[in-house]
Amino acid sequence: MSLSLVQSTLLGDNSSLFESIANNLVDKGYSISVDALPENLTTLLLQQINELPDEIFKRAGIGRAKDHVINDAIRTDEICWITGNSEASGAWIKWAESLQYYLNKHLFLGLFSFESHFSHYGKGDFYKQHRDAFKGEGNRVLSVVVYLNQDWSLDDGGELIIYPEQAVDSGIIADNKITVTPSAGTIVVFLSEEFPHEVLPALRDRYAIAGWFRLNTSIANNIDPPS
Ligand code: OGA
Ligand code: MN
């Protein structure tokens, strides 16, 4: 993979970040890195979020393709799929591809493609507990979320809660949920099938990017579309 000088300057040196994400994934299946997205990229994405017109965001649904429905009891956020047609979104996709390349090289994950969207939670919006993929069904392997909120305070709600599954035979009943504050620059990566998670109601506008690395499960003329 070769990056132009401009791109590599923009994206910075991610090798220690990617190494820590890979190690975390091996150790526990998820990774949380605070203030970790390259600064230039965060700045560009924050600008882009400020410039995006509200109308471009559409109510997010649940389920894929023909099973796709809007369900106010489960999620109330709005999303805008990222196509890479701006400097910021192009740089974001490049960054995600470099993470994909690193993880494939070091963990042999076989990640094949990447899809992502901006999300906007207005005041009161939430996403109830869910998984991003189901065993044997989806081809989403790895979820990545980055946050784009400056000066997020504990009173602003909107935390991501991750529920690691307890080992059934461990005999330990522990309330080990993980709480992530959606502050600009924080990166969360987790195995899509393994971790139920939810977004608590946001008490002010909350912006993030959610993305998924997928395996290649297209067969012949049956191309598996993004949801
Ligand atoms: C999702 C999701 C988490 C977040 O979009 O599937 O779980 O913190 N997002 O925004
Ligand atoms: Mn999710």
Side-chain angles (χ1 to χ4, degrees):
M1 188 180 60
S2 81
L3 289 175
S4 75
L5 187 60
V6 175
Q7 282 165 347
S8 46
T9 307
L10 179 63
L11 297 178
D13 176 8
N14 287 287
S15 43
S16 60
L17 170 64
F18 290 173
E19 187 184 349
S20 120
I21 291 174
N23 287 339
N24 290 163
L25 288 175
V26 169
D27 291 347
K28 48 191 187 176
Y30 68 89
S31 171
I32 298 163
S33 317
V34 174
D35 202 16
L37 201 64
E39 220 172 284
N40 293 342
L41 180 56
T42 309
T43 306
L44 271 183
L45 290 168
L46 285 168
Q47 274 168 13
Q48 163 110 52
I49 275 288
N50 283 325
E51 286 163 13
L52 281 180
D54 287 346
E55 313 84 73
I56 218 167
F57 284 86
K58 305 283 182 246
R59 276 296 305 278
I62 52 173
R64 290 167 57 94
K66 66 177 170 38
D67 298 324
H68 189 86
V69 290
I70 305 288
N71 186 329
D72 287 333
I74 296 182
R75 73 184 295 190
T76 60
D77 59 319
E78 297 179 325
I79 63 167
C80 169
W81 287 97
I82 296 176
T83 56
N85 61 354
S86 69
E87 192 193 3
S89 56
W92 158 252
I93 289 171
K94 277 274 179 305
W95 181 86
E97 283 172 351
S98 57
L99 175 60
Q100 174 178 334
Y101 177 86
Y102 186 96
L103 295 176
N104 280 343
K105 187 169 165 190
H106 294 270
L107 303 185
F108 310 106
L109 284 180
L111 308 175
F112 178 78
S113 66
F114 182 68
E115 57 183 348
S116 62
H117 61 59
F118 290 110
S119 66
H120 170 227
Y121 292 71
K123 204 171 174 182
D125 286 339
F126 59 83
Y127 192 166
K128 287 271 161 66
Q129 189 174 318
H130 66 282
R131 285 177 210 252
D132 288 347
F134 292 93
K135 287 198 172 65
E137 185 182 291
N139 57 350
R140 284 176 168 178
V141 181
L142 199 64
S143 302
V144 54
V145 188
V146 307
Y147 298 103
L148 300 171
N149 307 295
Q150 287 171 300
D151 308 315
W152 197 266
S153 90
L154 290 181
D155 301 333
D156 292 329
E159 295 92 344
L160 168 69
I161 311 288
I162 300 173
Y163 300 94
E165 295 215 306
Q166 295 165 31
V168 180
D169 56 1
S170 71
I172 300 164
I173 300 164
D175 180 18
N176 56 347
K177 67 179 187 187
I178 296 147
T179 302
V180 182
T181 304
S183 302
T186 293
I187 303 168
V188 179
V189 182
F190 57 92
L191 296 172
S192 302
E193 288 180 354
E194 302 299 328
F195 295 93
H197 56 282
E198 73 176 307
V199 179
L200 298 183
L203 301 178
R204 67 156 162 115
D205 286 318
R206 174 196 196 268
Y207 291 96
I209 295 176
W212 298 272
F213 295 100
R214 297 156 62 113
L215 298 179
N216 179 16
T217 57
S218 332
I219 37 159
N221 296 320
N222 181 15
I223 304 296
D224 189 17
S227 58

